[in-house]
Amino acid sequence: MASIKEKIGYALGDAAAGGITWKIMSIAFPLFFTNVFGLTVADAAALMLVARLFDVVTDPIMGALADRTRSRWGTYRPWLIYGAIPFGLVFALLLYTPDFGPVGKRIWAYSLYLLMMAIYTAVNVPYGSLLGVMTDDDNEKNQFSSFRMVGAYAMGFITLMSFPYLQKMVGGTEAHQYAVLGVCFGVVAAAMTLACGLLTKERLKPVRAEKFSFKPFADLFRNKPWIYLTLIGICTNFFNGFRYAVAGYMITYCLGGDITVGSLIINYTVFMTFGEVTCMVFGGLSPKFTEWMGSKRKAFSVAAIICGVTSVGFFFIPMDPAYIWLMIVMVVLTSVGIGFYSPLLWSMYADVADWATEKNGVSSTGLIFSSGTMSQKFGTAISGSLVALLLGLSGFVSGTDDMGRTVVSISDMDSVQNMVWCLFSLIPAFIVAIMLLLIAKYPIKK
């Protein structure tokens, strides 16, 4: 039986990766790259797409490599322990805006972003795979998965809620603010990742193949549960990716900028924070909700329906800052569904890994869990790129002039506003419909 200390230690891993680095990369980076760093929307779209599609190749390779690691720290934990410092350092550098021209900035952004994705893969794929070797008890896997989601959402809440106040505290230009916050959050992410590696235990020994083979890769595409779950995972990240990537543009261009209610500053990070704390609460309730529903598949379906209905509802709210609290209520209701299904997804990956080990006789836990990280990056990459491209087509223009200054202009404000509103509501609702079709065909009926 794992201790509470170990479950908290495991949660720290996703608090760092999901609650700090990925949350900032998903929500802040699109607006940061176009409005602060100075990339064109085309460059921003290509950057997010190329870097993360690169991970579609590296993630499965990392999974196979992690499965074959042998060390005194175990199979997966050494990647967390030794990868913690590079993880925080590169993240900090990525939020720094160098005093370069258009070409220099493009090179800096592409190089650092590719490096960040590679290090994220080297840390997060083994982290996810840990769930498969810490326990063989299905209920305890659900508990670990729930702790993981609560950790991610709790840290996401802290990160997003504190962001505008920390910016104000730092002062200076926006570029300076992002650079300082990059260092601060990078240090915290590195410390949490290291703590996760040191506090967790690997109780089960993976059944390793004698030598490297491409057979596990081929087996994946004969693994029907894996195929469906990977497509579902991509859809969940499409759903989140559109909403996160467009939130900054929505507050800035649809609602006229930051909204002050008393002493509360509602910028785009704070706006999404209300969803984070809801996900944290209902992520913790996910095991009980699943037990009540009777199966993971049914629980996932109900949670997805909640997300779809509330996303459609958001579309009909007037585009006016006077309705900010109604918008927040709708975000909270959507996050109830996200909170329920997020832990389920990782628990279902553990089921798929067990199914594959039983069928093939060799563990491919790292490879299976790498597909979860891969789907996360793939879904976020495509959605983030589409947001940038669709904004560009609707009339949003950004870039850097010959003096290195960031320039932003809008040729058709109504078109941009309508596009942003749909990207936050109707398009995610359409993704939910696809998710429901896929989960209906998912073959593992636990």
Side-chain angles (χ1 to χ4, degrees), residues 29-48 101-103 105-106 109-110 249 384-385 387-389 391-393 396-401 405-409:
F29 273 20
L31 192 68
F32 167 73
F33 279 131
T34 57
N35 289 36
V36 179
F37 193 89
L39 293 182
T40 65
V41 288
D43 279 334
L47 169 64
M48 289 182 280
V103 175
K105 281 187 176 181
R106 192 178 298 124
Y110 273 78
Y249 297 99
S385 296
V387 165
L389 287 174
L391 286 176
L393 291 173
F396 183 91
V397 180
S398 66
T400 300
D401 63 19
R405 294 172 299 195
T406 299
V407 179
V408 176
S409 64

Side-chain angles (χ1 to χ4, degrees), residues 122-254:
V123 169
N124 205 245
V125 168
Y127 168 73
S129 304
L130 262 178
L131 184 61
V133 296
M134 288 192 295
T135 180
D136 58 358
D137 182 83
D138 196 51
N139 288 330
E140 200 161 49
K141 284 179 183 176
N142 283 345
Q143 291 172 21
F144 269 113
S145 186
S146 183
F147 266 80
R148 171 184 182 166
M149 290 298 104
V150 170
Y153 287 125
M155 195 63 216
F157 168 76
I158 294 170
T159 300
L160 299 182
M161 179 60 79
S162 65
F163 209 88
Y165 299 97
L166 292 173
Q167 283 183 293
K168 189 175 180 180
M169 187 185 302
V170 171
T173 65
E174 281 192 283
H176 174 69
Q177 293 166 6
Y178 276 95
V180 172
L181 292 185
V183 172
C184 295
F185 283 117
V187 169
V188 175
M192 286 182 167
T193 302
L194 179 60
C196 176
L198 295 174
L199 293 174
T200 50
K201 296 178 182 178
E202 297 186 24
R203 294 175 177 81
L204 308 178
K205 298 292 183 183
V207 183
R208 294 185 174 92
E210 292 299 318
K211 58 182 180 179
F212 180 81
S213 168
F214 285 101
K215 184 177 181 297
F217 293 92
D219 287 340
L220 279 182
F221 294 94
R222 292 191 288 269
N223 184 332
K224 191 175 179 182
W226 174 82
I227 292 171
Y228 277 107
L229 193 59
T230 297
L231 292 173
I232 291 166
I234 290 172
C235 285
T236 63
N237 286 287
F238 267 134
F239 180 83
N240 288 331
F242 281 121
R243 296 169 70 251
Y244 286 152
V246 83
Y249 297 99
M250 185 174 69
I251 294 293
T252 303
Y253 298 109
C254 296

Side-chain angles (χ1 to χ4, degrees), residues 276-293:
E276 292 299 303
V277 72
T278 306
C279 286
M280 177 183 69
V281 172
F282 286 89
L285 295 174
S286 182
K288 289 293 183 184
F289 177 70
T290 303
E291 186 180 337
W292 182 49
M293 285 287 104

Side-chain angles (χ1 to χ4, degrees), residues 19 48 60 68 148 159 187 204 206 210 304 317 337 360 364 374-375 406 425 443-445:
M48 289 182 280
R68 287 160 178 77
R148 171 184 182 166
T159 300
V187 169
L204 308 178
E210 292 299 318
I317 299 174
N360 302 320
S364 56
M374 178 192 73
S375 66
T406 299
S425 56
I444 297 179
K445 295 179 172 59

